[in-house]
Amino acid sequence: MPFVTTTEMFKKAYAGAYALGAFNVNNMETIQGIADAAADTRAPLILQVSAGARKYARHVYLMKLIEAAEADTGLPIAVHLDHGEDFEICKSCIDGGFTSVMIDGSRHSFEENIRVTREVTEYAHSRGVVVEGELGRIAGIEDDVSVSDEDAGYTMPDEVSEFVERTGVDSLAISIGTNHGAFKFKPGQTPRLRFDILEEMARRLPGFPIVLHGASSVVPKYVDIINGSGGAISGAAGIPEDMLREAARMAVCKINIDTDLRLAATAGVRETLISSPAEFDPRRYLAPARENIRETVRDKIINVLGCDGKAF
Ligand code: G3H
Ligand code: 13P
Ligand code: ZN
């Protein structure tokens, strides 16, 4: 099966009140861990690649690895560019076989965001590729761009219909209080998401798929392993799972997860090297990293996203 777009996936997810996981990939172990979990649970997959991942692993290696995941599992897989910052990177990924791209024009003015997003949708749609836009600013680090909490503005429902209409985007990333990375809330701060904004958007754009970025839960088990083995990420905090489940039942059809995979992999490597300090075979510490990713993704699919069994 060739790679698929997210069109059918989102239609079914919206109607079925569940969400797809969009998992960031950088290397073979991550792709295998995710693909194994999706095969275990018969879940459709969105594998996403950031500019940084593409620079690190290189386009052709990632494509071949994702092709291998598809051949190995037979699952429907969409290959997506995460946070494309301009037309050129979107074009390069479309020309290079991705079935979905994100153009993240959220740092621009409303008009400039519309202009660049429209440029990408015109190019993408004429080649059968779908496009995710972003409206509102999501805090955290995306590649070299750092958005502070203060600058992260919630998406304004008033702007959404006009943005979707004028750009022709197929899905939209919005800001309702999630943010990127492992420190989403300050110590003592009560996690809060603006479900009222999400509800209002669904009312104005019935059936339109919404995307949630910065949606890792920052799995406490892995934070503890990292901190307990000399790591220094105390104060790490993520989005509570019940809030993600709620979002998945609403208009959110795609939930982006990267940080939780990084934590799972790092915990596996640290635990192995601490318990076996003489180990220097990378397979011995990368296999536990891959297994932790598999476990994490399985848990997300079954207990958070609700997309298990939806592959066929
Ligand atoms: O939203 C950002 C993703 O977590 C990708 O991170 O740009 O460091 O690969 P990265
Ligand atoms: P997390 O940092 O919460 O995993 O978010 C990832 C993301 O939004 C990728 O686009
Ligand atoms: Zn993101």
Side-chain angles (χ1 to χ4, degrees):
M1 194 198 294
F3 297 136
V4 299
T5 70
T6 50
T7 307
E8 280 307 306
M9 289 185 189
F10 287 167
K11 257 189 217 151
K12 290 183 186 162
Y14 202 103
Y18 62 89
L20 286 312
F23 300 101
N24 286 72
V25 298
N26 291 288
N27 60 24
M28 184 188 77
E29 285 75 12
T30 305
I31 292 170
Q32 286 180 334
I34 299 165
D36 289 350
D40 292 346
T41 54
R42 299 171 69 77
L45 263 186
I46 303 169
L47 296 180
Q48 58 186 14
V49 175
S50 70
R54 202 162 165 255
K55 195 165 154 193
Y56 170 77
R58 291 176 241 161
H59 186 99
V60 66
Y61 285 82
L62 289 172
M63 286 308 271
K64 296 293 173 194
L65 286 167
I66 299 173
E67 273 170 35
E70 195 280 322
D72 194 30
T73 62
L75 291 170
I77 299 180
V79 186
H80 175 76
L81 168 66
D82 191 27
H83 293 285
E85 70 163 3
D86 53 28
F87 175 79
E88 282 66 38
I89 188 167
C90 292
K91 177 179 184 302
S92 169
C93 289
I94 293 165
D95 295 347
F98 283 32
T99 55
S100 173
V101 293
M102 175 188 192
I103 171 70
D104 180 355
S106 61
R107 68 191 176 286
H108 297 305
S109 67
F110 185 63
E111 282 303 320
E112 179 58 14
N113 190 356
I114 289 180
R115 192 201 60 74
V116 67
T117 305
R118 176 82 223 162
E119 193 183 4
V120 173
T121 53
E122 277 171 5
Y123 189 81
H125 288 171
S126 65
R127 287 156 181 83
V129 170
V130 293
V131 179
E132 174 184 323
E134 180 174 324
L135 198 51
R137 304 214 67 189
I138 299 160
I141 312 281
E142 298 164 1
D143 275 325
D144 299 331
V145 185
S146 174
V147 183
S148 74
D149 283 359
E150 295 76 37
D151 289 342
Y154 294 121
T155 307
M156 290 189 279
D158 274 352
E159 293 184 342
V160 168
S161 306
E162 184 184 347
F163 186 83
V164 169
E165 204 171 293
R166 287 177 61 195
T167 58
V169 285
D170 304 279
S171 62
L172 186 67
I174 57 160
S175 176
I176 56 166
T178 61
N179 60 55
H180 294 102
F183 302 90
K184 300 187 191 298
F185 299 101
K186 297 190 176 75
Q189 191 184 357
T190 307
R192 191 168 103 91
L193 294 187
R194 292 288 305 272
F195 286 109
D196 56 322
I197 296 181
L198 186 54
E199 233 165 52
E200 182 55 23
M201 276 178 217
R203 198 184 64 75
R204 291 177 190 224
L205 288 173
F208 187 80
I210 298 294
V211 178
L212 209 57
H213 282 245
S216 280
S217 313
V218 184
V219 179
K221 176 172 74 173
Y222 295 130
V223 172
D224 289 348
I225 291 173
I226 293 169
N227 283 327
S229 60
I233 54 167
S234 62
I239 311 294
E241 288 188 347
D242 57 343
M243 291 187 186
L244 298 171
R245 278 190 281 272
E246 178 66 17
R249 279 193 293 269
M250 297 169 73
V252 170
C253 294
K254 172 173 178 275
I255 292 189
N256 284 11
I257 296 162
D258 186 2
T259 297
D260 276 337
L261 307 184
R262 297 179 182 199
L263 293 169
T266 302
V269 172
R270 287 189 84 100
E271 212 167 31
T272 310
L273 292 180
I274 297 276
S275 64
S276 311
E279 188 55 72
F280 58 85
D281 179 344
R283 293 170 299 183
R284 303 274 178 163
Y285 53 81
L286 292 178
R290 179 175 59 189
E291 192 48 36
N292 282 357
I293 288 173
R294 179 184 188 154
E295 242 185 75
T296 303
V297 173
R298 249 183 84 91
D299 182 66
K300 301 270 181 203
I301 288 172
I302 297 170
N303 296 319
V304 178
L305 303 159
C307 59
D308 47 312
K310 310 292 190 197
F312 304 103

